[in-house]
Amino acid sequence: MMVRTRSNNDGRECPICMDAVRFGAETNCGHLYCSACILQVWDQNVNTVTCISCPCCRQEVTLLLCCFTAAESSDSRSAEVLNEREHLKDRLQRYNTLHSNVKYSYLRHMKELPTILRHAWAETFTWGGLTWLFKLRIVLMMLAGLLYLLVPFDLIPEAFLGVIGLVDDVMVICFFLVQVSVLFRSHVTAEG
Ligand SMILES: [Zn+2]
Ligand SMILES: [Zn+2]
């Protein structure tokens, strides 16, 4: 399970316990909670198989992305903290795996791109987290999108149609970004 670290003391408050976020978890809709708090919402769900809805925006939560601070990730002072951290990571992973079969439309992918790409970006360009092979796939996907923008060949050339000529570029970029998001999602929801 990967852990995206966020800067310490960024002052984010958990909307559930109204305290500073502890062992943060970010939802696919971009809301940050303490892992324990959002997992408790899951516990209170009558049916553990259906997704919970985000307490902030009522959107379906399909992903809980680990968002611990660097200090939380490296804290090894007591076995108690260590156990708690591993336990929370296991449960977040379980949630993601359980809900990995949710069908995603292209539009829904687009809507959640900012959150997913933020995590994909952080995981790809920092040490640890993703395997190098996985990072390579994400970087190649981003490069492919960029390449299409840069090479003169276009499905709809800008020179003839002006702004409309840009539409295909935007669509191609979006297509590749969604592919990055699909790739990242498959990694987060993979078992074990
Ligand atoms: Zn909380
Ligand atoms: Zn939300």
Side-chain angles (χ1 to χ4, degrees):
M1 173 101 187
M2 53 201 154
V3 175
R4 185 173 85 98
T5 51
R6 61 193 172 92
S7 53
N8 298 321
N9 306 320
D10 58 1
R12 299 280 293 270
E13 215 175 58
C14 167
I16 297 176
C17 67
M18 301 302 218
D19 226 323
V21 169
R22 188 166 173 275
F23 289 121
E26 190 173 4
T27 59
N28 46 300
C29 48
H31 289 112
L32 184 71
Y33 303 94
C34 312
S35 294
C37 288
I38 194 72
L39 286 168
Q40 205 177 355
V41 174
W42 184 31
D43 288 334
Q44 286 159 357
N45 219 18
V46 204
N47 181 351
T48 50
V49 184
T50 52
C51 293
I52 57 173
S53 51
C54 174
C56 275
C57 67
R58 310 315 299 174
Q59 267 193 72
E60 199 178 30
V61 176
T62 57
L63 283 182
L64 288 174
L65 299 160
C66 225
C67 216
F68 299 174
T69 63
E72 284 169 346
S73 296
S74 59
D75 189 354
S76 54
R77 278 170 299 173
S78 73
E80 206 175 316
V81 176
L82 225 91
N83 280 340
E84 186 188 5
R85 186 172 67 212
E86 291 315 305
H87 177 70
L88 289 173
K89 276 201 281 187
D90 281 353
R91 290 208 65 204
L92 293 178
Q93 169 89 64
R94 231 179 84 71
Y95 185 91
N96 293 336
T97 307
L98 255 172
H99 301 102
S100 58
N101 55 351
V102 176
K103 289 276 168 287
Y104 256 71
S105 66
Y106 195 82
L107 227 96
R108 192 164 172 199
H109 270 302
M110 293 283 293
K111 207 170 145 196
E112 294 178 4
L113 269 184
T115 305
I116 305 298
L117 287 182
R118 193 148 32 81
H119 282 264
W121 186 268
E123 292 287 336
T124 305
F125 299 103
T126 50
W127 291 107
L130 300 168
T131 61
W132 68 268
L133 195 69
F134 207 82
K135 290 182 182 184
L136 193 71
R137 288 173 69 186
I138 289 193
V139 170
L140 283 178
M141 205 69 89
M142 290 176 175
L143 280 180
L146 203 67
L147 208 68
Y148 184 85
L149 256 193
L150 296 180
V151 293
F153 168 76
D154 257 351
L155 292 174
I156 310 172
E158 279 89 60
F160 292 118
L161 295 160
V163 180
I164 302 167
L166 283 174
V167 170
D168 69 319
D169 293 279
V170 172
M171 274 169 62
V172 168
I173 292 289
C174 287
F175 171 79
F176 281 111
L177 289 181
V178 167
Q179 295 314 304
V180 170
S181 142
V182 169
L183 208 61
F184 183 71
R185 209 172 265 277
S186 76
H187 182 80
V188 177
T189 57
E191 225 152 333

